[in-house]
């Protein structure tokens, strides 16, 4: 092998979930030449499977992880500014079923017990919310908490259990399209560092004498010589380390599932807020409005199967029963479920600790270079979606130190993708739409939809759509030219990329055989697929939807 056949990069990042993408963007912003690869699509691992909360982590107050709460609330506040197109305030209500319960258990947990039973009364929740307000003060974007008694609670949410004693309401945030935000981080990185590259559907195959081989799907293998490797493979971290010749036991993952319910009456009672509630076994569950459906989650079950993870019947039964207990005034059944998903939290290996109490903090141990592997490998363990920027900054600082490169820019105030120049007040929004109507010729109602979906990138999409775009069959809020724009600009490789990650068509329960066939045919035209490829994409999609998302579509 000659040196000419080897591509040199300062940093190779393996795994393009939110943590890998965050480090990629940060390093690129400092002018470092990076390659990021993912064996699947960008953001298709755990980063596509969260509860979609951008939150301070109220429950981490119980475990005394105050540093994590302080960091998370700050990061939440930054994301509300920097990614205002996809991260929105979320009023959150906690139904409380007792006054004094849980104080002793909470003290035991604070003192280090790893098995304390969970139950939280009004006094405890009130104390927690006051602390949460305190920690959320840095770069504050949202109002403080409030508490109301049983009568007000039942007036606000009539279907609530009569056992209700009080309702606490506070503000967190939600991310409407986490997969899109991951892609936007990568695209921002590529813009900042022209020598950098990003490859989805590209697996790391092995390492020899400091040369890592990566295999892009359907293409020639490439040989990469990095100075530093960042292993950001989430729950696959130990497997990737093994491929690099390292024996690690960093990860002790837990699986969490979610279902989406088509339940208009539940949405009416939620009235735009999330319910963050305790199930009978003391676990915290949540239900929130999401893309016109109700998102319910999640579980916390030790697991080491990231490639086949799916929501089981038992988990579904648990969700539905917990909702019935909390909201006896509403009916819940399996036929309301339109989509399901699951993922593995890449938590640190923590033998003997109850899954719910394993720390959600992050760490980045480095395995130093050796004779046979002349580059160090830093593994990104744990963390939350919310804290990716802080985690990325910490890892980037260490990498810059090793490379001897100065930091040029901080990321605290760096907007992400379509969050750049996002209008934040009603007046600014109207002015933005009016200006875009003039420059694109699109209707203002259409621009409003696109602005909510893509942020200020809406301008380019509206111009591409023209005055009278063709509505997408079975999803008239989307247009054929909108998908055409995505296919041309957003590195789509497979049909599932566009249906499950570039758009919310999958998770919002809108997929029909007709729609999938139409999108396959638009994709075939733009991406030059043969008719055989088009059919195999539909077949693969059908298997994926059935095995991973509980959705059975007959493509005939
Ligand atoms: C059920 C659940 C609910 C959650 N809810 C929230 C929440 O509401 N808010 C919050 O802040 N956090 C939440 N989290 C946590 C958050 O989702 C994760 O911490 C975060 O997404 C982890 O991102 P990551 O980049 O480390 O891993 P991942 O997103 O898993 O990325 C790893 C990537 O590595 C790739 N990869 C694997 N092997 C290879 C290989 N050999 N070659 C190349 N690439 C490879 C994978 O394809 C994958 O894309 C939740 C997690 C779960 C599971």
């Amino acid at each position: 092998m000659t040196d000419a056949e080897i591509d040199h990069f300062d940093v190779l990042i393996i795994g393009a979930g939110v943590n890998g993408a965050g480090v990629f963007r940060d390093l690129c912003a400092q002018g470092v030449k990076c390659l990021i690869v993912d064996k699947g699509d960008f953001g298709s691992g755990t980063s596509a499977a969260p509860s979609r909360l951008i939150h301070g982590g109220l429950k981490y107050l119980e475990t005394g992880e105050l540093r994590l709460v302080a960091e998370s609330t700050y990061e939440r506040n930054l994301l509300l500014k920097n990614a205002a197109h996809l991260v929105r305030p979320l009023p959150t209500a906690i139904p409380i079923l007792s006054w004094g319960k849980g104080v002793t258990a909470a003290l035991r947990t604070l003192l280090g017990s790893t098995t304390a039973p969970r139950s939280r009364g009004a006094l405890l929740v009130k104390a927690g919310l006051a602390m949460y307000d305190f920690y959320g003060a840095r770069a504050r974007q949202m109002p403080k908490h409030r508490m109301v008694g049983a009568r007000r609670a039942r007036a606000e949410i009539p279907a609530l259990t009569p056992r209700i004693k009080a309702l606490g309401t506070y503000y967190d945030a939600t991310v409407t399209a986490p997969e899109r935000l991951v892609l936007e981080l990568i695209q921002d990185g590529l813009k900042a560092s022209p020598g950098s590259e990003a490859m989805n559907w590209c697996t790391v195959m092995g390492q020899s004498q400091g040369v890592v081989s990566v295999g892009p799907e359907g293409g020639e293998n490439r040989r990469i010589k990095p100075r530093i490797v960042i292993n950001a493979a989430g729950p696959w971290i130990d497997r990737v380390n093994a491929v690099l010749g390292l024996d690690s036991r960093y990860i002790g993952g837990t699986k969490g599932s979610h279902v989406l319910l088509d339940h208009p009456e539940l949405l009416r009672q939620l009235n735009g807020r999330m319910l963050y509630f305790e199930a009978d076994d003391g676990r915290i569950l949540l239900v929130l409005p999401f893309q016109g459906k109700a998102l319910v989650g999640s579980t916390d079950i030790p697991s080491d199967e990231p490639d086949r993870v799916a929501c089981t019947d038992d988990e579904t039964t648990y969700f539905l029963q917990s909702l019935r207990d909390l909201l006896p005034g509403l009916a819940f059944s399996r036929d309301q479920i339109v989509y399901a998903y699951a993922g593995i939290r890449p938590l640190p290996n923590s033998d003997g600790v109850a899954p719910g109490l394993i720390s959600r903090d992050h760490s980045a141990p480095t395995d130093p270079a050796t004779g046979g592997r002349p580059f160090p490998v830093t593994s990104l363990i744990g963390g939350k979606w919310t804290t990716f920027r802080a985690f990325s900054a910490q890892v980037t600082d260490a990498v810059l130190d090793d490379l001897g490169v100065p930091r040029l820019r901080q990321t605290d105030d760096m907007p992400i993708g379509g969050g750049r120049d996002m209008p934040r007040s009603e007046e600014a929004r109207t002015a933005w739409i009016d200006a875009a109507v003039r420059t694109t010729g699109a209707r203002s109602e259409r621009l409003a939809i696109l602005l909510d979906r893509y942020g200020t990138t809406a301008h380019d999409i509206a111009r591409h759509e023209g005055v009278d775009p063709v509505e997408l069959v079975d999803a008239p809020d989307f247009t054929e030219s909108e998908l055409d724009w995505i296919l041309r600009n957003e590195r789509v490789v497979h049909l599932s990329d566009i249906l499950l990650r570039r758009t919310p068509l999958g998770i919002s329960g809108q997929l029909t055989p007709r729609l999938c066939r139409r999108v396959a045919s638009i994709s075939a035209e733009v991406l030059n697929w043969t008719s055989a490829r088009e059919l195999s994409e539909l077949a693969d999609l059908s298997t994926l939807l059935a095995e991973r998302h509980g959705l059975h579509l007959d493509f005939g």
Side-chain angles (χ1 to χ4, degrees), residues 194-244:
S196 292
E197 288 184 52
M199 298 166 81
N200 51 352
W201 299 99
C202 176
T203 306
V204 169
M205 324 281 287
Q207 185 279 138
S208 169
Q209 303 301 316
V211 176
V212 181
S213 53
V214 301
E217 204 182 272
E220 298 266 303
N221 281 5
R222 284 178 64 179
R223 292 171 189 286
I224 310 297
K225 192 155 193 183
R227 292 169 67 189
I228 292 174
V229 168
I230 302 294
N231 179 351
W236 293 268
I237 276 179
D238 292 321
R239 292 168 204 210
V240 165
N241 276 339
V243 172
L244 298 174

Side-chain angles (χ1 to χ4, degrees), residues 14-20 37-41 43-55 202-204 232-236 240 254-258 298-299 343-346 380 382-387:
I14 304 170
V18 70
N19 286 323
V37 296
D38 198 294
K39 76 183 176 85
D41 189 18
S44 62
T46 307
S47 296
S51 302
R52 284 150 211 273
L53 303 185
I54 297 298
H55 63 151
C202 176
T203 306
V204 169
W236 293 268
V240 165
T254 72
K255 171 193 168 188
S257 297
H258 292 85
S298 69
T299 42
I344 308 274
R345 300 174 182 87
L380 309 194
K384 301 175 349 143
W385 220 107
T386 309
T387 50

Side-chain angles (χ1 to χ4, degrees), residues 55-65 68-69 360 384:
H55 63 151
L58 182 64
K59 66 181 175 185
Y60 311 133
L61 288 174
E62 281 186 326
T63 38
E65 295 181 273
L68 180 59
V69 177
R360 265 52 173 174
K384 301 175 349 143

Side-chain angles (χ1 to χ4, degrees), residues 3-56:
D3 203 48
E5 292 164 327
I6 296 174
D7 293 319
H8 292 257
F9 286 90
D10 295 322
V11 182
L12 167 65
I13 300 168
I14 304 170
V18 70
N19 286 323
V23 173
F24 180 74
R25 173 189 73 152
D26 200 343
L27 284 170
C28 287
Q30 318 309 328
V32 173
K33 185 179 170 194
C34 305
L35 170 65
I36 186 167
V37 296
D38 198 294
K39 76 183 176 85
D41 189 18
F42 302 123
S44 62
T46 307
S47 296
S51 302
R52 284 150 211 273
L53 303 185
I54 297 298
H55 63 151

Side-chain angles (χ1 to χ4, degrees), residues 256-493:
S257 297
H258 292 85
V259 294
L260 281 112
L261 303 180
D262 186 7
H263 199 317
E265 183 50 31
L266 171 60
L267 284 185
R268 256 192 297 281
Q269 302 243 351
L270 292 177
N271 192 21
R273 78 197 123 197
M274 171 168 89
L275 285 177
Y276 194 58
F277 64 102
E278 209 175 272
D280 263 3
D281 60 356
R283 289 205 59 256
I284 300 280
L285 296 183
L286 50 87
V287 51
L288 67 146
F290 187 78
Q291 302 282 354
K293 303 290 183 296
L295 173 62
V296 187
S298 69
T299 42
D300 211 349
I301 304 164
S303 170
D304 184 28
E305 289 289 341
D307 286 305
R308 285 194 297 278
V309 63
C311 180
T312 62
D313 276 354
D314 283 355
E315 288 173 288
T316 304
T317 305
Y318 172 67
F319 291 144
L320 295 179
Q321 191 50 49
S322 302
L323 285 171
R324 285 183 199 114
D325 292 344
L326 178 74
L327 300 160
L330 296 176
F332 294 97
S333 62
R334 279 172 194 273
D335 56 16
Q336 293 160 341
I337 298 175
V338 293
Y339 196 77
Y341 64 86
I344 308 274
R345 300 174 182 87
L347 300 177
N349 201 349
S350 316
D351 281 346
V353 180
L357 296 181
I358 299 173
S359 171
R360 265 52 173 174
D361 212 342
H362 45 79
S363 63
T366 296
D367 286 278
T370 61
R373 176 181 42 74
F375 51 76
V377 179
T378 298
S379 301
L380 309 194
I381 297 161
K384 301 175 349 143
W385 220 107
T386 309
T387 50
F388 81 85
R389 190 211 61 85
F391 193 12
S392 303
Q394 176 195 324
V395 173
T396 298
D397 283 338
V399 170
L400 293 176
D401 251 18
D402 282 0
L403 294 175
V405 172
R407 180 178 269 287
L408 303 176
R409 293 198 59 186
Q410 300 291 341
T411 49
D412 300 53
D413 292 320
M414 202 180 272
I416 304 173
R420 202 157 278 111
D421 302 324
M422 184 70 187
R424 297 207 46 212
S425 67
E426 263 318 302
E427 300 76 58
R429 182 180 163 87
T430 309
W432 190 93
I433 290 175
D434 288 348
V437 165
R438 286 193 293 277
T439 50
T440 64
R443 284 175 299 113
S444 56
E445 304 76 36
R446 180 68 192 152
L447 275 159
I449 291 175
L450 293 177
L451 184 62
D452 285 342
R453 201 173 281 156
Y454 304 103
T456 50
T457 309
H459 185 273
D460 292 355
I461 299 174
R463 192 157 45 196
H464 187 75
E465 279 189 343
V467 185
D468 203 9
V470 177
E471 288 175 356
L472 186 61
V473 62
D474 293 336
D477 244 15
F478 290 79
T479 71
E480 296 201 348
S481 37
E482 174 184 359
L483 297 198
D484 184 89
W485 187 92
I486 290 173
L487 286 159
R488 290 176 197 282
N489 291 282
E490 296 198 330
R491 295 167 170 257
V492 174
V493 174

